[in-house]
Amino acid sequence: MKYKISLFLLLIFVLHSCQNADEQRIAENLKEAKKKEVIFNNINKGWVFIEEPINEVSEENVRNWTEWRDFLKEIGDKPRKTIGAFQKKSTAISKKAMALNNNIPATFNQPQIRSRISILITKVKMLDLFIHLSKIPDEKVTFLVGDINKELVSLERQMDKLVEKSKIPKEEGEADFLKMLDTTRAIKSEIPVDKNLQVE
């Protein structure tokens, strides 16, 4: 009889501790769900990209440069429902950003444009990395969205500068002078060299 009472008390204790563990697990799950909801809301608020061209040059590029158009379209489509949707979108944006290095129009195939594209790609890859972490740093993600917007504006302004600079007419002989400054493409000398002369 003693053993039956002890066994009965032990059984009640085990059932009670299991019930407490379940309640604790449910409370932890609710707490985790609330954290994820806060992170989602913060990212959802901060996910605002400048997808509209800021000047005429950028608008022209949207028509003529397919990769640029695709990139702006991709950042313009905002995910809505879950963190997973934001993660998929950031991966898609990253792929479109990488494609910006392909088929750069001749006017913009300049070091200053290429460097800005590289910076933009780096920021987009960082966004993709941070949003795929198990504990998403929502403040970092929203900060990077702002940084990407700054890089977009910088890139578009640089494109505008190049177009404006190309509209300035060159003076007579300026092209030759610029070639002379570039030692890799200097104008060849037209003075005949006497091969019989030897330097001692």
Side-chain angles (χ1 to χ4, degrees):
M1 185 73 175
K2 247 184 187 180
Y3 293 113
K4 287 183 182 180
I5 293 174
S6 337
L7 190 60
F8 179 70
L9 290 174
L10 181 65
L11 184 61
I12 290 175
F13 177 73
V14 169
L15 289 175
H16 183 62
S17 63
C18 287
Q19 188 178 10
N20 286 344
D22 286 343
E23 288 173 3
Q24 188 177 2
R25 196 175 311 117
I26 289 170
E28 286 174 8
N29 288 344
L30 284 173
K31 191 176 179 182
E32 191 65 31
K34 284 181 182 177
K35 276 184 188 177
K36 286 183 179 179
E37 186 179 345
V38 167
I39 289 170
F40 172 79
N41 288 335
N42 289 343
I43 291 173
N44 192 31
K45 266 189 250 172
W47 195 277
V48 180
F49 286 104
I50 303 172
E51 84 270 7
E52 291 296 318
I54 63 166
N55 53 35
E56 291 176 22
V57 174
S58 298
E59 283 182 37
E60 187 67 30
N61 284 337
V62 167
R63 280 178 248 143
N64 300 328
W65 186 7
T66 308
E67 290 79 9
W68 180 249
R69 178 178 56 238
D70 292 345
F71 177 73
L72 289 180
K73 185 178 183 298
E74 195 65 51
I75 64 172
D77 297 336
K78 183 178 179 181
R80 299 270 178 219
K81 297 184 179 180
T82 62
I83 287 289
F86 281 102
Q87 290 171 334
K88 286 178 186 174
K89 178 55 76 175
S90 72
T91 302
I93 290 171
S94 183
K95 287 178 185 173
K96 297 293 182 183
M98 289 296 291
L100 287 174
N101 276 326
N102 304 334
N103 304 320
I104 298 174
T107 312
F108 303 120
N109 200 356
Q110 305 287 330
Q112 54 271 44
I113 296 294
R114 284 192 167 281
S115 66
R116 282 175 175 76
I117 289 174
S118 294
I119 293 169
L120 180 65
I121 289 170
T122 302
K123 301 280 180 167
V124 169
K125 282 184 172 183
M126 285 173 60
L127 172 73
D128 191 35
L129 172 79
F130 282 122
I131 205 161
H132 280 92
L133 293 175
S134 56
K135 291 187 178 180
I136 300 170
D138 52 327
E139 293 158 6
K140 201 76 148 154
V141 169
T142 54
F143 178 78
L144 280 168
V145 169
D147 256 9
I148 291 168
N149 283 333
K150 287 177 190 171
E151 295 305 327
L152 281 169
V153 169
S154 173
L155 178 59
E156 291 178 7
R157 285 187 178 149
Q158 188 62 45
M159 289 175 186
D160 193 40
K161 282 181 187 175
L162 283 175
V163 168
E164 291 302 314
K165 191 175 177 182
S166 69
K167 289 179 183 176
I168 299 171
K170 291 195 182 333
E171 292 185 20
E172 188 178 323
E174 184 178 353
D176 290 337
F177 178 72
L178 291 173
K179 283 182 184 177
M180 290 291 283
L181 291 176
D182 186 2
T183 57
T184 60
R185 298 185 292 163
I187 299 173
K188 294 181 182 177
S189 175
E190 295 179 12
I191 302 172
V193 177
D194 187 4
K195 292 181 182 178
N196 294 330
L197 292 175
Q198 292 183 346
V199 178
E200 295 180 16

